[in-house]
Amino acid sequence: MTTIARTDQWSRCHRAARTEGVAAALTELATAVLPGLLPCGPAGHAIVPTAIAAGAARVWADGVTVDRGSAAEKALGVIELPGGDVELLRHQVRPGANGFSPAERAGWTLGLVWLRLGLSEELRETAMRYLNGRRTGNSTLLQQQMVKSTVADGLIEHLEVRAVLTGIGPGELPDTVLNHLHTQLTYADRALVKLLGASGYLAGGPGQVARVSELLAEAYCRPEV
């Protein structure tokens, strides 16, 4: 039986993204919205924790559910991240094979924005801690005007996304708005990662988490028409 997430479940997903990482947040979201299913986007791409990749018996492809054995599956790789690895898969599912569940899709797409907001907010906090610990002259890097401006821009993006999401239930925002929110988060992440210098681009570091967050949007958002 499908369980549609409630508002407090978005909060748990958002909190898991901030405190435990990508894998834990994806597990929280999938358990709440798509229990027992392997979530795939419109083109069949999936980014999921190892436990879901190994244990899901059925494939959910942007609202259409089929038995896993009936869909062609290809493993694209594994990404090691703080808090747990995620696996990249691709399925080819025949459109309309087993009907379409708009409620499941609405829950997944809304929860995914909350998840990415949590990751991006944590990235901002990481950047601030990093910059506050490095000095130039008599002040820290965080006190530099250009740096403060970039951090402030990231904060504004986060506040705007949160304002749009607050009080909103599944299916109440069209895909165009959700896609715009993802674009705002991607913009914020790219700017914040640059503040970390070379350390932001190390394997398993904040930059890799931000890249996986961006991949989540690319995998699960429907393209604009």
Side-chain angles (χ1 to χ4, degrees), residues 161-172:
V161 171
R162 180 182 285 272
V164 174
L165 293 178
T166 300
I168 292 296
E172 296 181 24

Side-chain angles (χ1 to χ4, degrees), residues 3 13 20 29 35 48 54 64 67 74-75 81 98-99 104 112 124-125 128 133 150 161-162 168 174 213:
T3 302
C13 179
E20 300 178 64
L29 178 59
V48 293
V64 175
D67 291 334
K74 181 178 182 181
L81 295 173
N98 260 15
E104 288 179 341
L112 200 62
R124 189 188 72 237
E125 294 292 334
M128 292 178 66
T150 302
V161 171
R162 180 182 285 272
I168 292 296
S213 176

Side-chain angles (χ1 to χ4, degrees), residues 20-99:
E20 300 178 64
V22 177
L26 282 172
T27 299
E28 189 75 47
L29 178 59
T31 301
V33 183
L34 303 170
L37 301 175
L38 178 67
C40 298
H45 295 98
I47 302 172
V48 293
T50 301
I52 292 179
R58 309 193 78 200
V59 174
W60 179 92
D62 197 35
V64 175
T65 303
V66 299
D67 291 334
R68 195 167 181 179
S70 64
E73 180 173 327
K74 181 178 182 181
L76 302 178
V78 178
I79 301 177
E80 297 181 1
L81 295 173
D85 300 347
V86 294
E87 297 192 19
L88 281 60
L89 305 169
R90 186 172 188 277
H91 278 267
Q92 291 183 331
V93 178
R94 182 168 54 88
N98 260 15

